[in-house]
Amino acid sequence: QKEVEQNSGPLSVPEGAIASLNCTYSDRVSQSFFWYRQYSGKSPELIMSIYSNGDKEDGRFTAQLNKASQYVSLLIRDSQPSDSATYLCAVKEAGTALIFGKGTTLSVSS
Amino acid sequence: GAGVSQSPSNKVTEKGKDVELRCDPISGHTALYWYRQSLGQGLEFLIYFQGNSAPDKSGLPSDRFSAERTGGSVSTLTIQRTQQEDSAVYLCASSLVAPHTDTQYFGPGTRLTVL
């Protein structure tokens, strides 16, 4: 059974702080890794994708991948109340569907 | 450009009835996926279409669930003899299939309520 594990939270951080979201996965042949953000009652929207070990930065977001440890993380710098949402980690092999974690709820207080 | 569209946005049905949910993928996307999300749960894979290949049906929870994709574009997910446990948000996504540009884009979902 291929699994993606996330801490359900809630993760609470003050406005302006760094939020750190973590994810582990069981399938070593996973090739593509994604972070989606989902607001309540809405569908998931892509935040970041990462395919190679190391860091990938996009604005206030940094994704980190460590395939040896089967670990993916998402850092959100200068967190804003509008970042409050559920963050879904997803992994996939080539030509397959995404396997999602159950998500981490982030709450950013002003 | 236009994103993934789904219809209806909401569907309320009685237990035992059949329902059809529709998905229009992003133009040019050859891969199409159906997921469902129950209240407070993660996304559960249902079925995956890629071009003219046989679909990956490994996620369908029972033989009451079926899906087809006509002309490599629009897809319909059919649930026969609906049960209350089928109540969920059904999400469709589409993507390209190049090795590293396979990001999936989601539609707004269909909220199904079985009474």
Side-chain angles (χ1 to χ4, degrees):
Chain A
Q1 181 84 359
K2 300 174 184 177
E3 294 183 337
V4 176
E5 299 286 343
Q6 295 182 254
N7 189 324
S8 62
L11 174 64
S12 297
V13 300
E15 184 175 359
I18 296 175
S20 178
L21 305 164
N22 304 314
C23 169
T24 58
Y25 59 94
S26 63
D27 188 0
R28 285 193 169 272
V29 301
S30 298
Q31 296 182 350
S32 308
F33 306 86
F34 304 87
W35 283 99
Y36 285 83
R37 177 175 63 197
Q38 187 174 28
Y39 292 112
S40 180
K42 302 294 186 182
S43 60
E45 58 177 321
L46 181 72
I47 298 294
M48 294 280 287
S49 60
I50 186 167
Y51 303 96
S52 303
N53 281 327
D55 294 0
K56 179 181 177 183
E57 185 174 324
D58 183 1
R60 295 186 296 110
F61 300 94
T62 299
Q64 299 173 316
L65 173 61
N66 183 326
K67 291 186 179 180
S69 300
Q70 296 175 239
Y71 175 88
V72 191
S73 67
L74 179 70
L75 298 178
I76 306 174
R77 289 181 299 281
D78 188 24
S79 296
Q80 301 298 308
S82 59
D83 295 326
S84 299
T86 296
Y87 289 80
L88 302 170
C89 173
V91 305
K92 72 185 296 288
E93 303 170 40
T96 67
L98 289 166
I99 301 172
F100 282 89
K102 293 188 176 181
T104 297
T105 300
L106 173 65
S107 176
V108 181
S109 56
S110 57
Chain B
V4 178
S5 61
Q6 292 186 245
S7 61
S9 55
N10 281 283
K11 176 71 176 180
V12 180
T13 191
E14 294 179 348
K15 178 181 173 180
K17 301 282 189 182
D18 298 352
V19 295
E20 287 189 350
L21 313 179
R22 176 188 168 104
C23 172
D24 260 295
I26 293 172
S27 178
H29 281 191
T30 56
L32 186 149
Y33 310 79
W34 283 98
Y35 298 87
R36 73 176 175 182
Q37 188 172 32
S38 302
L39 189 62
Q41 299 298 310
L43 276 80
E44 173 189 12
F45 163 69
L46 296 177
I47 187 169
Y48 160 46
F49 295 90
Q50 166 41 29
N52 296 321
S53 302
D56 176 357
K57 304 179 182 181
S58 61
L60 294 179
S62 79
D63 59 8
R64 296 186 295 105
F65 288 72
S66 63
E68 63 177 19
R69 188 178 185 191
T70 53
S73 181
V74 171
S75 176
T76 302
L77 176 69
T78 300
I79 309 173
Q80 296 178 308
R81 305 181 302 282
T82 52
Q83 303 295 312
Q84 288 183 333
E85 61 263 28
D86 299 334
S87 296
V89 177
Y90 288 81
L91 290 158
C92 175
S94 71
S95 75
L96 298 170
V97 286
H100 292 294
T101 56
D102 55 354
T103 299
Q104 295 180 25
Y105 296 91
F106 284 83
T110 294
R111 181 176 298 277
L112 174 67
T113 303
V114 182
L115 301 176

